[in-house]
Amino acid sequence: MYNLIKGMFFLTIDLPWTAYGKDMQAREKVVKMLTDYLESRPIKDGIYNKFIQTIREDSPEDMEEMLHGQGRDLLTGLLFAGHNTTVDTMVFTVKYVGENPHVLTKIWKEHENVIKLKQAGERLTWEECKAMSFTQDVITETLRLCNVSTTTFKKSLEDVHVRGKLVIPKGWMVLPYFHSVHYDPTFYPKPCKFNPWHYKVVLNF
């Protein structure tokens, strides 16, 4: 995973000794590990088949034989996108919640209300996860303050006019910087303060 992530930031020269070449080799290993796991998975609950069915609904009819390969590519993409980002978000969530005991108390109560309705060992459902709205607000506020994905590449498909003062010509690549919005006091009063209650009011987006 380290080589897979590292290769993203280097020139796309696909030779075995380059960072990008090692990235492609790492990707092949990750896909093989995923394939082996999916084929030998002891729990047969149909989750992967449902995942493939979802892809099938959005794919052309002549792509049937490619679906499972595409599914593994998408899973690899999820691993790529969620490897460091999930860990970093969890660390900063613990930091911010630890610094704000009143936030911890509210999260604790929200989780207790869900646990009371569960049997021992019973898994959470997606509906129950969505019902924990304050927990989601805490995660969202953590991502606002320390978004590990600070920018991304975007290509303009047509001339883009920005507030009548700037034109981004068609075909240009731009790098939007997320923190410039996340720390804008126009949208978030006291933007450097951890405040999950931001999302209980209508923000000025």
Side-chain angles (χ1 to χ4, degrees):
M1 287 304 302
Y2 176 76
N3 284 335
L4 182 63
I5 294 169
K6 182 180 178 182
M8 177 183 176
F9 302 99
F10 287 83
L11 293 174
T12 54
I13 302 173
D14 193 3
L15 295 171
W17 59 85
T18 64
Y20 183 76
K22 293 176 181 177
D23 174 20
M24 298 306 292
Q25 295 171 37
R27 182 186 176 281
E28 289 181 8
K29 291 180 180 178
V30 170
V31 171
K32 185 179 185 306
M33 290 176 67
L34 274 174
T35 301
D36 292 345
Y37 170 73
L38 290 169
E39 291 176 353
S40 63
R41 191 165 179 256
I43 302 174
K44 306 299 182 183
D45 54 10
I47 290 178
Y48 184 65
N49 290 334
K50 291 177 183 177
F51 176 61
I52 292 297
Q53 180 59 38
T54 301
I55 300 173
R56 181 179 286 111
E57 292 169 0
D58 295 328
S59 301
E61 293 181 4
D62 59 353
M63 288 185 62
E64 184 68 25
E65 63 184 33
M66 297 174 59
L67 282 174
H68 284 274
Q70 185 181 2
R72 292 182 178 92
D73 283 342
L74 288 171
L75 288 176
T76 303
L78 289 173
L79 286 174
F80 176 85
H83 187 264
N84 285 17
T85 52
T86 302
V87 173
D88 292 346
T89 302
M90 289 172 67
V91 168
F92 279 102
T93 300
V94 171
K95 173 187 183 296
Y96 290 130
V97 172
E99 292 173 347
N100 295 272
H102 60 297
V103 173
L104 176 60
T105 299
K106 187 168 178 60
I107 291 178
W108 188 274
K109 289 180 179 178
E110 185 172 70
H111 290 190
E112 277 190 328
N113 290 335
V114 174
I115 292 171
K116 288 176 184 177
L117 304 176
K118 308 294 291 183
Q119 299 295 326
E122 187 181 356
R123 292 184 178 183
L124 283 172
T125 66
W126 181 234
E127 292 302 319
E128 288 166 340
C129 289
K130 290 193 294 184
M132 294 187 284
S133 60
F134 185 72
T135 300
Q136 180 59 59
D137 291 341
V138 169
I139 296 169
T140 302
E141 181 69 350
T142 301
L143 288 171
R144 181 186 72 82
L145 286 172
C146 65
N147 195 325
V148 293
S149 179
T150 56
T151 187
T152 186
F153 291 97
K154 292 292 182 182
K155 183 178 182 178
S156 58
L157 301 180
E158 57 185 36
D159 288 353
V160 179
H161 297 265
V162 183
R163 296 182 181 179
K165 299 179 181 179
L166 173 68
V167 178
I168 302 173
K170 178 180 179 180
W172 274 34
M173 294 292 292
V174 296
L175 285 171
Y177 183 60
F178 302 142
H179 284 288
S180 62
V181 176
H182 294 165
Y183 282 82
D184 189 335
T186 304
F187 305 128
Y188 299 98
K190 299 181 180 179
C192 294
K193 180 179 175 59
F194 180 76
N195 179 14
W197 284 272
H198 275 313
Y199 310 99
K200 297 304 180 187
V201 297
V202 178
L203 298 175
N204 299 316
F205 290 141

